[in-house]
Amino acid sequence: MNSESKRVKRERPWLMRTYSGHTSAKASNELYRTNLARGQTGLSVAFDLPTQTGYDADHPLARGEVGKVGVPIGHIGDMETLFDGIPLDQMNTSMTINATAPWLLALYVAVAERQGIDASKLQGTTQNDVLKEYLSRGTYIFPPEPSVRLTTDVISYTVHHIPKWNPTNVCSYHLQEAGATPTQELAYALSSAIAILDAVRDSGEMGASDFAQIVGRISFFVNAGIRFVEECCKMRAFVALWDKIAKERYGVEDAKLRRFRYGVQVNSLGLTEMQPENNIQRIVLEMLAVTLSKNARARAIQLPAWNEALGLPRPWDQQWALRIQQILAYETDLLEYGDLFDGSQVVADKVQELIQGAESEMERVRLEGGMVPAIQSGYVKRQLVTSQTARLRAIERGDLKVVGLNCFQETAESPLTKGVDSGILRVDPAAEREQLERMRAFRATRNPKEVEVALKNLVDAARSGENIIPASIRCAHAGVTTGEWSGQLREVFGEYRAPTGIDIGNQDLGSAPQMDRIRERVRSTGESLGRPLRLLVGKPGLDGHSNGAEQIAVRARDAGFEIVYEGIRLTPRQIAKAAQEEGAHLIGLSVLSGSHLELVTDVLAELADLGLSDLPVIIGGIIPSEDKPQLKEKGIAAVYTPKDTDLNGIMADIVDIIRERNGLEPFDVAA
Amino acid sequence: MARERSALATALNLLDDKRPEARACAGRLLANLPEDKVYHSGHLIGLTGPPGVGKSSLISALVERWRDQRRTVGILAVDPSSPVSGGALLGDRLRMLSSSTDGGVFIRSLACRGEVGGLSAETWPMSLVMLAASDIVLVETVGVGQKEIDVSKLTDTTCFIAQPASGDTIQFLKAGIMEVPHVLIVNKQDVGLAARKTLTELQASLGRNTHNGDWAVPVLSASATQGTGVAEIVEAVESHRQWLLREGALCSRRRSFQAQWIVKRLREDFGRFGIEALGGERRLMEDLITQGGSPFEHYDRLRDDLVARWS
């Protein structure tokens, strides 16, 4: 350091978190304590899929998913273990939880009460944005209307009782993962925020001053992609647009309450499986987009680990991600300056362009009747699927360069993936059984009468429209489980399936002779087998990341297959039954949650049960390469991972697999 | 039950199969279907309406009710195909939550495969094997035009679902579609005023209805999401079947659909000239209606007849 330099006043850095949780409450608690000891300044809880979609560990749909992508929280006992030795009044906890957000918030409050802490002292965030779940990620449960009501319940409750809580974190993150362009990201995130705030306003529970406070409590969760200059401008556009909306639409006078407050997880979508060490450079550049502008800087950042495209990160990988943040915040001089871009014409012009694009798309959503109707009609999802399809086409053609993926593929073998664990964390297969046992033991300790009364109270509140949180806190104390809480509300509100958005027009595949050849192969193979080739695309388990399945479905349709796509969250039995009824020639499964081994075993068993053992099954998803032989051994015909971006190649494989299984000669390889 | 489902799946694959040996086998299969099931019992129901009108959720609610009555249900869901690739996205099973693991419900999707008239040629024979295996067969088509209403040419009872306040109603009136259905349903009654307005418009339009004998077309409203009005639809559809039975029309309609199906295939392959060579449409229809039997076998016999004359 230059000895002449005076002590410069530095900005306070953002909150540093790592999105984590796995196996069990106990294992996750240990991880949190380790991460905090390493200088992390807040917690970001990842829940497993059964917890996110409201099932107990012993529900059939939960099989294979318990403790996989996050921590399983079945009841207050788990929640107490999760925060054991972490005083909640000194912690800032972000919970990525949506459909069951009111429940997890209730558990958090109940644990605080048991720690002797007043709820008003709590700080943190519930993601609580179900609207984007219908478009991406897929952990919704109820139809949109009751979902919005539960969202507003959390908002109204926290603004009165937990004033420092961020009740909803409107997400543009997952929209980008689903294919949104920066303009679409701006438009749909802001339209979602408007839908939520309008619902709060129209509920009539709030006075004008309360309402301004609520506008001030809305925060956002944003993605930052690799085009970091544009992303930087996107954040500035968000700031300007939100200020305008808060002022003009909601009449908020206090400029502080109009601030666009946001947290970030930088782009996991752009991380590659090939040469995975390069993901570190990507993560650093993406972080710059959300930190360089002082006027549009993130309040909280969590960075993915370098190996997320391979599987679950280990503690050391998370530490590495945290160190990136610490170096930027504490070593560099970034926090010593004012806004770097004020006065830049280039940046101002780009921001203006994004604002105009976003405003025009927001107007389009308004004409659809607002964000909720635009989701229900499938409009927004179709726009996202269309953008995603275009993006993948660009990668496939090489117009969009991804180093290691479609250019500069030549590489030495990475020592990082060579260890005994192949560079990822594996959840102990015993974790699910242990969680099940804990769940059963816990149920036995409850007072059944108390549980019954608490659940009845919950149903009454759900039916009457009374705020759901107090009844949920009571349920938490009585020992109600996550599955019971959700089950009761399923009875009251019903369940929902969102539009898939795959019903988009034929894509421009150019004059591609390759495509013509594939179409011809699809057609002639269908002719040889007597009827058009038919694929069943299915997502077993609770994982709602449907982008891959959707892209395969759309491309296969364009290649001339008849596609039966059933959407997300299917049981293996449902998939097998559908394959039989629909007369499929091949089943394509998609699993991203790490439960592929269990789910594949079950699907194949169900198929055998229906006498369909000959039906070929392929699988795509985040699948570690050392699992491939095991999957093949079980009878899976082909395994695809994110590095397989050549969709036409996959189509050609599918035709070949069908031909082989049906005793037809393979097509000439050279053809 | 499990064996029956597997047999039905195989039969449907066979009916879809264009290879000559499969066609011969399918012909025998159809000829051996129990006469009673195919012509005299069960219920073939057509259900159509514009996209987004909530057909899937309404079907889901209907199926649930039929299952409560312990009736088995087969569904043929027809989706458009892509004109470019011939491929199709068949996503209609999507929202059918309640029936998904129920062995008493069987759903087969069908692409319309470029067929003029919105229904591919396989629809009729597939309906027949489904009739042999289920108490109720529901043929679902998507669309708003005259094309989709072709479903009425192969079902006992046709239901049309209207969208509240979409302006479509007027279009249907103009197109004469209102004369076809036996049951009219305004879905989404939960949207209130708009649904009531559509209901009134539809009721008013029925004065002109002349095609359905003395069957009084009921106009019903329902909300699939709230589960209201579903029992009334089930009841109205059943009344129509009872009415057909009383009129002796169930069997004669089905025989006539079958004859039309055969004549249509012949006309597509041999043109008006071919039909004339076989004695003209009227005579051909009369013959076919009285004969019963397998549509494939009749078709093959008549085709061979024509081919023999010209070869």
Side-chain angles (χ1 to χ4, degrees):
Chain A
M1 189 179 281
N2 185 339
S3 58
E4 284 169 64
S5 74
K6 292 202 193 105
R7 248 187 114 70
V8 195
K9 187 176 173 299
R10 294 175 70 95
E11 285 284 314
R12 221 172 74 159
W14 50 88
L15 268 173
M16 297 180 197
R17 296 179 174 131
T18 315
Y19 182 55
S20 54
H22 65 86
T23 309
S24 67
K26 188 158 181 295
S28 303
N29 175 266
E30 280 160 22
L31 177 64
Y32 294 170
R33 293 207 219 184
T34 312
N35 286 349
L36 289 169
R38 286 178 184 157
Q40 190 171 297
T41 51
L43 289 176
S44 170
V45 182
F47 295 98
D48 73 354
L49 287 167
T51 307
Q52 294 188 49
T53 50
Y55 294 107
D56 284 340
D58 49 2
H59 190 280
L61 270 169
R63 184 171 137 73
E65 308 274 17
V66 177
K68 281 276 163 58
V69 301
V71 57
I73 298 294
H75 47 75
I76 191 163
D78 286 341
M79 201 69 160
E80 281 185 292
T81 309
L82 186 66
F83 293 106
D84 185 34
I86 302 173
L88 295 188
D89 52 348
Q90 289 159 45
M91 193 34 59
N92 191 317
T93 307
S94 168
M95 294 193 268
T96 299
I97 197 72
N98 295 282
T100 52
W103 173 239
L104 272 302
L105 177 66
L107 287 171
Y108 195 74
V109 170
V111 169
E113 287 174 2
R114 290 190 179 184
Q115 286 187 358
I117 293 160
D118 192 69
S120 65
K121 301 257 172 18
L122 296 177
Q123 286 191 65
T125 306
T126 33
Q127 192 163 83
N128 195 29
D129 169 16
V130 185
L131 293 181
K132 61 92 173 50
E133 298 292 328
Y134 299 118
L135 300 169
S136 177
R137 204 167 179 276
T139 69
Y140 56 84
I141 303 174
F142 316 113
E145 290 88 354
S147 292
V148 169
R149 177 240 158 139
L150 292 176
T151 303
T152 60
D153 277 0
V154 171
I155 296 172
S156 317
Y157 184 85
T158 55
V159 92
H160 289 127
H161 298 97
I162 321 177
K164 280 189 267 179
W165 196 264
N166 297 309
T168 179
N169 215 358
V170 177
C171 296
S172 80
Y173 176 86
H174 312 84
L175 301 175
Q176 185 177 109
E177 300 269 304
T181 62
T183 308
Q184 288 173 329
E185 218 186 307
L186 286 160
Y188 300 148
L190 293 170
S191 297
S192 293
I194 286 173
I196 293 166
L197 280 175
D198 282 5
V200 174
R201 184 189 59 194
D202 299 345
S203 73
E205 283 181 41
M206 299 289 150
S209 72
D210 271 355
F211 191 71
Q213 290 300 319
I214 286 180
V215 175
R217 289 320 300 168
I218 298 288
S219 58
F220 291 79
F221 185 64
V222 174
N223 206 331
I226 193 68
R227 292 171 54 82
F228 79 103
V229 177
E230 186 177 32
E231 293 291 72
C232 184
C233 296
K234 177 185 83 186
M235 297 324 306
R236 298 173 80 90
F238 257 130
V239 169
L241 281 163
W242 186 240
D243 183 75
K244 189 173 167 195
I245 291 166
K247 190 168 192 182
E248 291 175 7
R249 190 178 180 95
Y250 298 117
V252 177
E253 291 301 328
D254 184 348
K256 253 173 74 181
L257 298 177
R258 299 198 303 262
R259 262 188 219 158
F260 182 80
R261 300 179 312 121
Y262 73 102
V264 178
Q265 157 102 14
V266 307
N267 191 336
S268 303
L269 175 76
L271 303 186
T272 62
E273 189 185 341
M274 283 82 62
Q275 305 175 34
E277 62 280 0
N278 292 337
N279 292 326
I280 287 293
Q281 295 86 288
R282 294 191 177 100
I283 292 165
V284 170
L285 291 169
E286 289 166 352
M287 182 172 54
L288 292 180
V290 293
T291 50
L292 286 182
S293 303
K294 180 174 183 246
N295 293 346
R297 186 170 290 150
R299 300 284 171 124
I301 297 179
Q302 50 192 41
L303 298 181
W306 66 280
N307 54 352
E308 274 197 13
L310 306 176
L312 279 181
R314 303 157 298 182
W316 177 79
D317 307 312
Q318 296 208 327
Q319 175 193 313
W320 194 3
L322 175 64
R323 295 288 184 253
I324 298 174
Q325 297 203 48
Q326 289 166 332
I327 288 168
L328 183 68
Y330 303 125
E331 280 188 28
T332 77
D333 55 351
L334 174 70
L335 295 177
E336 294 169 12
Y337 296 94
D339 193 276
L340 302 179
F341 303 114
D342 274 354
S344 155
Q345 197 55 47
V346 176
V347 169
D349 288 350
K350 182 68 190 172
V351 171
Q352 203 46 42
E353 180 197 319
L354 289 167
I355 288 176
Q356 276 167 9
E359 284 186 326
S360 113
E361 187 56 21
M362 285 171 77
E363 178 59 14
R364 184 73 180 72
V365 170
R366 197 186 64 77
L367 292 175
E368 289 278 319
M371 195 59 180
V372 172
I375 288 170
Q376 285 171 313
S377 71
Y379 168 75
V380 180
K381 183 68 184 175
R382 275 194 299 276
Q383 299 306 306
L384 295 177
V385 172
T386 306
S387 301
Q388 181 83 313
T389 309
R391 186 180 151 270
L392 289 183
R393 278 298 292 157
I395 293 176
E396 217 175 358
R397 279 196 306 260
D399 296 348
L400 190 64
K401 299 244 181 303
V402 182
V403 172
L405 183 79
N406 63 3
C407 56
F408 311 109
Q409 287 130 312
E410 179 62 29
T411 179
E413 198 166 5
S414 165
L416 284 177
T417 52
K418 285 314 282 176
V420 280
D421 54 4
S422 312
I424 53 167
L425 177 88
R426 285 193 171 265
V427 173
D428 181 358
E432 182 160 323
R433 190 172 34 79
E434 286 166 16
Q435 178 68 9
L436 241 98
E437 283 161 10
R438 273 193 300 274
M439 170 65 83
R440 295 208 176 112
F442 177 83
R443 283 205 191 106
T445 64
R446 310 183 298 181
N447 176 343
K449 188 74 201 156
E450 264 176 48
V451 171
E452 191 187 317
V453 172
L455 284 173
K456 186 174 174 307
N457 241 314
L458 177 74
V459 170
D460 290 346
R463 290 227 167 90
S464 69
E466 183 189 312
N467 196 303
I468 206 83
I469 305 293
S472 302
I473 295 174
R474 190 168 166 187
C475 285
H477 282 300
V480 163
T481 66
T482 299
E484 289 166 345
W485 183 88
S486 314
Q488 292 294 323
L489 296 189
R490 280 184 160 96
E491 293 276 312
V492 178
F493 297 137
E495 292 187 72
Y496 187 71
R497 295 225 138 178
T500 60
I502 58 172
D503 48 338
I504 58 175
N506 267 94
Q507 297 310 295
D508 175 23
L509 298 170
S511 61
Q514 191 198 13
M515 194 60 184
D516 290 343
R517 196 161 61 231
I518 289 167
R519 276 189 193 143
E520 178 51 29
R521 288 179 174 198
V522 171
R523 197 196 55 72
S524 73
T525 304
E527 221 157 69
S528 305
L529 296 177
R531 59 195 177 99
L533 295 188
R534 192 169 266 220
L535 305 188
L536 180 95
V537 178
K539 276 193 70 66
L542 294 174
D543 160 42
H545 292 86
S546 54
N547 301 328
E550 286 152 7
Q551 290 304 320
I552 289 288
V554 169
R555 178 59 59 88
R557 186 270 315 262
D558 291 346
F561 289 97
E562 293 187 354
I563 304 301
V564 180
Y565 175 56
E566 305 244 279
I568 59 169
R569 228 180 285 167
L570 300 167
T571 61
R573 171 160 301 177
Q574 285 171 325
I575 289 174
K577 181 178 184 260
Q580 179 187 49
E581 292 181 4
E582 296 288 9
H585 289 98
L586 179 141
I587 298 179
L589 300 176
S590 161
V591 183
L592 283 81
S593 64
S595 6
H596 44 273
L597 290 172
E598 292 89 339
L599 290 168
V600 156
T601 309
D602 290 358
V603 169
L604 293 173
E606 294 285 352
L607 285 172
D609 203 38
L610 295 179
L612 295 174
S613 308
D614 292 345
L615 194 60
V617 180
I618 61 172
I619 186 167
I622 299 192
I623 293 167
S625 53
E626 68 270 21
D627 285 354
K628 286 185 186 177
Q630 217 177 325
L631 288 167
K632 292 266 174 72
E633 207 169 290
K634 284 176 189 289
I636 294 294
V639 179
Y640 299 97
T641 66
K643 74 169 181 291
D644 298 302
T645 52
D646 174 17
L647 295 184
N648 287 345
I650 296 177
M651 296 303 129
D653 289 355
I654 290 175
V655 175
D656 288 342
I657 291 167
I658 293 175
R659 291 184 74 85
E660 195 204 322
R661 286 290 170 106
N662 288 280
L664 297 177
E665 291 291 310
F667 282 113
D668 183 0
V669 181
Chain B
M1 189 74 128
R3 197 178 303 159
E4 218 169 274
R5 296 175 51 81
S6 163
L8 177 55
T10 312
L12 292 171
N13 294 348
L14 182 66
L15 292 175
D16 213 0
D17 198 326
K18 300 292 173 300
R19 289 173 293 187
E21 65 276 18
R23 288 270 303 186
C25 191
R28 288 196 297 280
L29 168 79
L30 290 171
N32 286 319
L33 290 179
E35 175 96 5
D36 170 57
K37 291 255 191 191
V38 173
Y39 292 116
H40 302 287
S41 64
H43 198 178
L44 250 175
I45 301 168
L47 196 138
T48 191
V53 75
K55 282 186 296 300
S56 313
S57 30
L58 190 60
I59 289 176
S60 205
L62 287 169
V63 166
E64 205 173 309
R65 195 155 282 267
W66 281 321
R67 294 297 297 136
D68 286 345
Q69 301 173 343
R70 305 190 172 212
R71 294 204 268 179
T72 53
V73 185
I75 299 173
L76 278 174
V78 184
D79 274 307
S81 318
S82 152
V84 180
S85 66
L89 293 169
L90 310 167
D92 248 44
R93 298 174 60 108
L94 190 68
R95 290 183 192 86
M96 298 181 183
L97 279 173
S98 58
S99 51
S100 49
T101 51
D102 177 357
V105 181
F106 192 110
I107 307 168
R108 171 66 63 114
S109 308
L110 258 179
C112 63
R113 297 175 184 164
E115 176 83 1
V116 183
L119 289 173
S120 65
E122 297 79 22
T123 314
W124 172 250
M126 286 188 176
S127 308
L128 292 181
V129 294
M130 278 205 158
L131 257 185
S134 322
D135 299 325
I136 288 171
V137 176
L138 193 71
V139 182
E140 187 236 2
T141 61
V142 191
V144 288
Q146 188 73 51
K147 260 166 63 168
E148 290 75 15
I149 209 71
D150 266 8
V151 74
S152 68
K153 294 193 185 129
L154 46 79
T155 51
D156 307 327
T157 303
T158 309
C159 304
F160 183 84
I161 309 183
Q163 178 99 295
S166 61
D168 290 338
T169 317
I170 305 301
Q171 289 303 316
F172 307 145
L173 293 174
K174 278 188 195 156
I177 286 178
M178 282 309 142
E179 297 179 4
V180 178
H182 307 111
V183 179
L184 289 172
I185 300 157
V186 179
N187 196 19
K188 303 185 180 172
Q189 85 189 169
D190 42 305
V191 303
L193 194 62
R196 280 201 296 282
K197 183 163 174 285
T198 309
L199 202 62
T200 319
E201 282 171 5
L202 286 174
Q203 275 155 347
S205 78
L206 287 172
R208 287 187 286 277
N209 190 319
T210 52
H211 279 211
N212 287 321
D214 65 351
W215 168 251
V217 176
V219 183
L220 305 170
S221 64
S223 164
T225 47
Q226 297 177 355
T228 53
V230 178
E232 287 78 2
I233 298 172
V234 165
E235 204 172 298
V237 164
E238 176 59 21
S239 312
H240 185 253
R241 193 179 82 98
Q242 293 299 335
W243 180 82
L244 288 172
L245 285 170
R246 274 200 307 279
E247 300 280 307
L250 191 83
C251 172
S252 63
R253 276 174 68 92
R254 286 189 194 168
R255 284 188 187 279
S256 143
F257 298 149
Q258 166 133 326
Q260 280 170 20
W261 183 88
I262 296 165
V263 171
K264 187 172 175 213
R265 302 274 86 73
L266 288 167
R267 185 181 293 116
E268 276 167 16
D269 293 349
F270 302 98
R272 196 159 50 91
F273 186 71
I275 301 289
E276 291 305 320
L278 290 167
E281 176 163 345
R282 210 169 128 194
R283 217 193 99 204
L284 200 52
M285 285 286 290
E286 276 168 15
D287 288 353
L288 287 167
I289 286 171
T290 49
Q291 282 164 347
S294 157
F296 282 8
E297 291 192 334
H298 285 303
Y299 171 84
D300 289 346
R301 175 176 58 78
L302 292 164
R303 186 198 55 199
D304 292 349
D305 183 358
L306 282 173
V307 171
R309 288 180 206 206
W310 288 316
S311 55

